[in-house]
Structures are given as C-alpha cells and as structure tokens.
Amino acid sequence: DGIVRLVGSEMCIRDSGNPVFSWVDDSGEDRYQIQVFDTFGELIWEDPNIPSSSGSDPEVPYAGPTLDAGMFYQFRVTSFDTNDRPLARTEDLKGVFFLP
C-alpha cells in the first residue's frame, strides 16, 4: 500500500510521489529538526526549523532532491527546547524506510 509504519513515527507516499513524514508530538519542544539520509549514511536533506506542534502530531512533506525508487533511506527527527538543547530523537533503526 506504499506505507511504512514505524514505532512512534510514520512515512507515507502521497499522490505527489514524495514522502510525508509524521511522528508523535513531544509535548516539551520549541522546534523540531528532521534529517533524511541516503543508503550510504549521507545527509541528503534537512529542515532544522519545524515549528512546535500542540495538540496534533507534526507532519512534514519531503522537500529535498528526488529520491530513487528501490533504495533504502532513513529519517531522524530531533526535538529542541527554547534554549536550543536537544530533548529527544526518533530511534535510528526505526526511521529506515524503503522507497517502492
């Protein structure tokens, strides 16, 4: 069905063909940072300034270079407090996804 479900996070493919990432809201955050890595562990896209979310789980569409079908990728999300200190991060291996 084009959806890979992860514990506490989700990646799905929408009509645009690009992934949309979502994760469980961290109630104490001021902002989030999302990073996407290719099969070789190279950072290929990030958004360091995702606003805090209150009352709903954040959802961010992928806005980086075109992803190749048939490849594995990984996304990581880190929450930060108002003093720019990291609070929490998604589990590394749980963020691995395959692009059909």
Side-chain angles (χ1 to χ4, degrees):
D1 65 355
I3 297 175
V4 177
R5 296 198 188 281
L6 308 169
V7 174
S9 56
E10 180 177 289
M11 184 284 299
C12 69
I13 304 293
R14 298 250 170 100
D15 294 335
S16 67
N18 280 330
V20 175
F21 303 102
S22 66
W23 57 93
V24 175
D25 181 33
D26 178 2
S27 61
E29 91 292 351
D30 183 59
R31 71 173 176 91
Y32 292 100
Q33 174 187 43
I34 187 169
Q35 298 175 306
V36 177
F37 299 87
D38 67 12
T39 300
F40 306 104
E42 297 292 323
L43 179 66
I44 57 172
W45 177 72
E46 71 178 324
D47 184 344
N49 294 308
I50 300 165
S52 68
S53 178
S54 180
S56 65
D57 292 339
E59 186 174 279
V60 175
Y62 176 75
T66 302
L67 299 176
D68 296 324
M71 298 295 289
F72 284 93
Y73 295 92
Q74 179 189 46
F75 79 96
R76 296 180 198 157
V77 176
T78 306
S79 62
F80 292 86
D81 68 11
T82 56
N83 293 317
D84 216 26
R85 291 180 301 220
L87 298 173
R89 175 180 280 168
T90 54
E91 294 180 54
D92 288 344
L93 295 179
K94 303 283 185 183
V96 173
F97 65 95
F98 179 79
L99 192 68

